[in-house]
Amino acid sequence: MGLMNKIAETQVWKSIFRHGYPSNPRNRALAALSNVFLHLHPVKAKKSGIRLSFTWCMGGITFFLFLLETLTGVLLMFYYRPTIEYAYNDVIALREHVPMGIMRELHRWGAHMMVLAVWLHMMRVFLTGSYKPPREFNWNIGVILLLLTLLLSFTGYLLPWDQLAIWAITVGSNMARAHPFIGHEGPGASLLAIGDVSLVTPASDIRFGLLAGRFVGAGALLRFYVLHCVALPLAAGLLMAIHFWRVRKDGGISGPM
Amino acid sequence: MELFKSIVNWCSQPAIYISLCTVGFVLLISRYRVLSRPSVLWGLAVGIALFFIVGAQDEDFLKIITKGDNMPIVIMIFAILATLGMALRQAAVNDMRLERGLPPTEAEDRGKVLVWPDLVYSEFICTILLSALFIAWSVAVEAPMEEPASGTRAPNPAKAPWYFLGLQEMLVYFDPWLAGVVFPGLIVVGLMVIPYIDTNPKGNGYYTLKERKFAISMFLFGFLVLWVALVILGTFLRGPNWNFFAPFDYWDPHKIEPLVNINLSELVWVKWIGTKLPDNILIREAPGIVIILAYFAITPALLAMKGMKRFYEEMGFARYSILVMLLLCMAALPIKMLLRWFINLKYLVAIPEWFFNI
Ligand code: HEM
């Protein structure tokens, strides 16, 4: 500890951390308090709440996977161009030119497991009754995060532009065709018409808006790419910040009264 | 081996499989104290593992479970067994204590610890272990990559991503506007209103089943049987043309399923009354429309008088109505399944002219 204490007295350390090495209660509290990331935690937590058998660390695992996806995703973006000419070949090139490359694997298996981890996290929160007052609102933030996680995974599924991708998205987005009123094969769509001119057609309905076309094509690829790499991660990141903040503000991880 | 295969194949027919899952679920809720014993849980885990190992001797089966994108589902089965097992174990312990007038074990260590180092260190270790795990997995299994996309050559079966296969399975029983739009929407709305309609103050912050039996049964039925079990069904047991294939069947794209399903209107007008279908759409579909209106209008009132009287009194009109409406929608799926299995019913209300089939 002698060396660490010496380092903790240098000007560089002090300029970064503003407190000594966290080996006594005061500095440990300051470590959590004066760090923007650690400050998402409270300074002290209930013993019952941080037990692995209580939370299974599932929320934490979900967050870990989100970070893993961000990191590997950014690396993948260096090699990938979201156009019909390039997308497939870029992914193949990645596989062939990078020896031992595992970024795509990490990204894909991480995505699958993130979906599973959110489900299990939700089950844990439900089974411990942690959505009950005062945590109703945070449960709802969670539901939106669940949706965002599924959408992130869904939009990413299209990007390799192989048969698996295009047809999974076709099957998924075909549902939008049947959206009541705003899908062209949905009940009530024929009611939205001016005289004989139908307003909801294959070229104007909700599916068209989603795919930027009647089929899963170039427009859909670009749209999904932007959603997947920019819009959805930003939204999810923002909501996660609120989610963690609220965990703390609602009294930390739940426990018996 | 052949006997094993034919038993498994028989059990996995959708009607049998879903019924077995439901029976299993009822057992889980009513016998959770026995089922969550560590010995039983380990037994189950070993049993399932053995099932996969023995099953993997069969080529068709091995091909399906080791497909890269299907591995999450195999993992999911074990992950749910482990987490649910832990939760129910803790609930059983707590319920026993509550019966004796003791607080749940979570209340025992009410003391607080400093987040640095206690929590931060376990997060750190967790991060390292997970990183190692994912790197090992990624080195071992290559991410799938198929032929380049072609908008004209559809693969058979064309499946949605695995986490949506429960919805795709619902398409067997409902049209896309219900299975793909209305029901997912209701799932989201239903999840969101949970904290506002569950007025039971007990069981906040600790595992218990006894104090929240109704809430937990409804949630777990929805999650385990109507979602997870259907994902498994959609992944492993649905092949070309979304036909059923047992685990040890070869996925033959030319398998033909006879179409014998019949609409309620045909059943009533043609088979029972013996006339032809009326020309007026609303008269033709009147039987189904009446049944559905009655289902949503009369059942809540009946339940408020008998069966769920206590809920009605404790929750008040608004909360009660929302709860019952959501439950009726959730029950619509198993009901439609039963109607399909027993009387080959296709639609209760069939108005293809308006894309309105229920
Ligand atoms: C991207 C998705 C999500 C992330 C990263 C996330 C992360 C977390 C973390 C780290 C915690 C702290 C306790 C723990 O680890 O269990 C937590 C708590 C919580 N989460 Fe999430 N979560 C996500 C999605 C959800 C979902 C889908 C729900 C529910 C529908 C939800 C509801 C809650 C609630 C109510 C708490 C407070 C629990 C308590 O105080 O015991 N979260 N979340």
Side-chain angles (χ1 to χ4, degrees), chain A residues 21-22 24-25 28-29 31-32 38 41-48 50-58 61 64-65 68 87-88 91-92 95 100 102 104-110 112-113 115-116 119-120 122-124 126-137 139-140 143-144 146-147 150-151 153-155 157 160-164 166-169 171-172 174-176 178-180 184-190 254-257, chain B residues 67-69 71-72 75-76 79-80 83-84 86-87 90 104-107 109-123 126-127 130-131 134-135 137-139 141-155 158-164 167-168 171 176-182 188 191-196 198 200-208 212 215-216 219-220 223-224 227-228 231 353-356:
Chain A
Y21 187 74
N24 59 31
R28 285 176 170 175
L38 292 181
H41 294 310
V43 172
K44 286 184 166 187
K46 282 190 220 75
K47 228 190 235 163
S48 65
I50 64 172
R51 276 227 317 261
L52 207 59
S53 63
F54 188 73
T55 61
W56 318 329
C57 201
M58 262 319 151
I61 292 178
F64 164 81
L65 289 169
L68 178 80
Y88 182 80
V91 178
I92 291 287
R95 167 185 282 187
M100 279 302 281
I102 55 168
R104 221 190 123 224
E105 278 70 19
L106 283 174
H107 200 73
R108 195 174 186 101
W109 307 143
H112 286 332
M113 285 303 108
V115 171
L116 178 58
W119 291 357
L120 294 178
M122 182 170 79
M123 183 170 85
R124 178 310 267 179
F126 188 93
L127 291 179
T128 54
S130 304
Y131 58 83
K132 300 191 176 199
R135 297 184 179 81
E136 307 100 307
F137 180 69
W139 167 269
N140 274 293
V143 175
I144 302 176
L146 168 75
L147 276 183
L150 292 175
L151 284 177
S153 188
F154 186 67
T155 48
Y157 218 83
W161 204 247
D162 61 346
Q163 280 288 67
L164 200 62
I166 178 176
W167 286 100
I169 303 307
V171 170
N174 272 348
M175 306 270 182
H179 197 297
H184 74 273
E185 285 180 6
S190 48
S254 64
M257 296 295 149
Chain B
K67 238 174 97 187
D69 283 337
M71 280 164 34
I75 297 175
M76 173 176 76
I80 288 185
T83 49
L84 195 66
M86 272 197 285
Q90 186 61 32
T105 53
E106 283 91 344
D109 38 22
R110 208 182 285 256
K112 290 207 164 185
V113 290
L114 277 168
V115 158
W116 182 297
D118 290 78
L119 179 56
V120 178
Y121 272 29
S122 37
E123 286 172 350
C126 200
T127 306
L130 282 175
S131 305
F134 274 94
I135 291 173
W137 182 2
S138 299
V139 170
V141 189
E142 200 172 39
M145 191 70 180
E146 299 192 351
E147 304 278 293
S150 149
T152 46
R153 262 185 313 115
K159 289 192 180 187
W162 65 273
Y163 38 85
F164 287 149
L167 297 177
Q168 202 174 350
L171 283 174
W177 75 278
L178 283 170
V181 183
V182 173
V188 174
L191 285 173
M192 288 191 139
V193 299
I194 284 176
Y196 304 101
D198 181 358
N200 176 5
K202 288 194 197 142
N204 183 347
Y206 53 94
Y207 287 101
T208 170
R212 308 169 51 209
I216 290 186
F219 178 84
L220 285 185
F223 179 58
L224 295 177
W227 188 262
V228 170
V231 169
E353 296 88 338
W354 304 340
F355 298 118
F356 188 82

Side-chain angles (χ1 to χ4, degrees), chain B residues 32-33 89-102 210:
Chain B
Y32 68 105
R33 293 180 199 220
R89 173 78 270 170
Q90 186 61 32
V93 171
N94 281 347
D95 288 347
M96 212 123 71
R97 290 171 61 100
L98 292 163
E99 274 158 20
R100 284 199 240 115
L102 297 167
K210 208 167 167 237

